[in-house]
């Protein structure tokens, strides 16, 4: 395991999270910062929006910025859904929200450039991570400063990924020992793998407010003040 000073762990200068929550995707909802999710993955379409800035075919994509557009796709082929066009009787892409970039026109046109290579939805060039199918809340309490923050995290995120989220509130987060109920956490494991159960569903079933019983991870300061 690489080390930063006295603290073992990944080099966060190059660290990339695997999962993003729907709430995080929803924050990127402008043409100059445009994310979407579909079929379980998250894509940053900002370069595409910049390349085709001012193009009318970009409008349907801008209209769904920050949203999940899995309903656009056939989950088996991972391609845009298709139908039989009533005008031509041919199989073509189904775009009831309006034709968008890289979708051929309904009828042949001399002004349509098809030299773009693969359509933007094929391949992984715009992929930034996976969409968290399930999220949960976790409280993080700094025992040195008594500061407390509640984070929404993906259920499959490792503790390192959760630490990466927490850097927003504490740049020295890796200089702390992370514990739950007195036990040091394995930072390569998820919350569930560390024995921190997600009981929100049980609280909902019992008609109780699960937010009042969110598990808390306690941070204990170590000697090495390492800033990530």
């Amino acid at each position: 395991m690489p080390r930063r000073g006295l603290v073992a762990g990944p080099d966060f200068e190059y660290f990339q999270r695997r999962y993003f929550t729907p709430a995080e995707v929803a924050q990127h909802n402008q043409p100059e910062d445009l994310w979407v999710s579909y079929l379980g993955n998250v894509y940053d379409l900002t370069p595409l929006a910049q390349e085709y800035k001012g193009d009318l075919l970009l409008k349907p994509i801008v209209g769904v910025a920050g949203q999940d557009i899995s309903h656009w796709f056939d989950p088996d082929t991972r391609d845009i859904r298709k139908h039989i066009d009533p005008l031509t009787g041919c199989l073509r892409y189904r775009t009831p929200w309006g034709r968008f970039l890289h979708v051929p026109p309904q009828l042949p046109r001399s002004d349509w450039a098809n030299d773009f290579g693969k359509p933007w939805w094929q391949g992984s060039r715009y992929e930034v991570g996976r969409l968290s199918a399930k999220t949960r809340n976790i409280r993080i309490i700094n025992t040195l400063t008594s500061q407390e923050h509640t984070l929404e995290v993906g259920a499959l995120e490792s503790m390192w990924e959760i630490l990466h989220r927490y850097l927003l509130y504490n740049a020295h987060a890796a200089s702390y020992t992370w514990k739950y109920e007195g036990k040091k956490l394995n930072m390569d494991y998820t919350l569930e793998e560390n024995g921190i159960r997600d009981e929100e569903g049980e609280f909902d079933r019992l008609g109780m407010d699960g937010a009042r019983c969110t598990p808390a991870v306690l941070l204990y300061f170590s000697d090495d003040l390492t800033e990530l």
Side-chain angles (χ1 to χ4, degrees), residues 154-169:
L156 296 179
E157 292 184 26
S158 71
M159 296 305 302
W160 284 124
E161 290 172 295
I162 294 174
L163 186 153
H164 185 269
R165 291 180 179 278
Y166 182 65
L167 290 177
L168 177 65
Y169 307 102

Side-chain angles (χ1 to χ4, degrees), residues 114-176:
N114 60 354
D115 56 354
F116 47 77
K118 283 187 177 182
W120 61 262
W121 60 87
Q122 293 182 1
S124 59
R125 54 185 158 166
Y126 297 117
E127 184 178 331
V128 294
R130 302 196 64 184
L131 184 70
S132 294
K134 179 175 175 53
T135 64
R136 58 180 297 188
N137 291 328
I138 187 72
R139 290 186 297 143
I140 300 179
I141 301 175
N142 186 333
T143 59
L144 179 67
T145 64
S146 298
Q147 291 178 314
E148 177 178 330
H149 298 90
T150 299
L151 304 183
E152 182 187 21
V153 303
L156 296 179
E157 292 184 26
S158 71
M159 296 305 302
W160 284 124
E161 290 172 295
I162 294 174
L163 186 153
H164 185 269
R165 291 180 179 278
Y166 182 65
L167 290 177
L168 177 65
Y169 307 102
N170 185 348
H172 303 285
S175 295
Y176 290 74

Side-chain angles (χ1 to χ4, degrees), residues 4 7 11-12 167 170-175 224-228:
R4 302 173 304 275
V7 182
D11 186 343
F12 276 78
L167 290 177
N170 185 348
H172 303 285
S175 295
D224 179 38
L225 194 61
T226 301
E227 183 171 351
L228 301 184

Side-chain angles (χ1 to χ4, degrees), residues 9 14 94 122 124 167 205 223:
Y14 306 101
R94 181 177 179 274
Q122 293 182 1
S124 59
L167 290 177
R205 181 174 56 83
D223 290 335

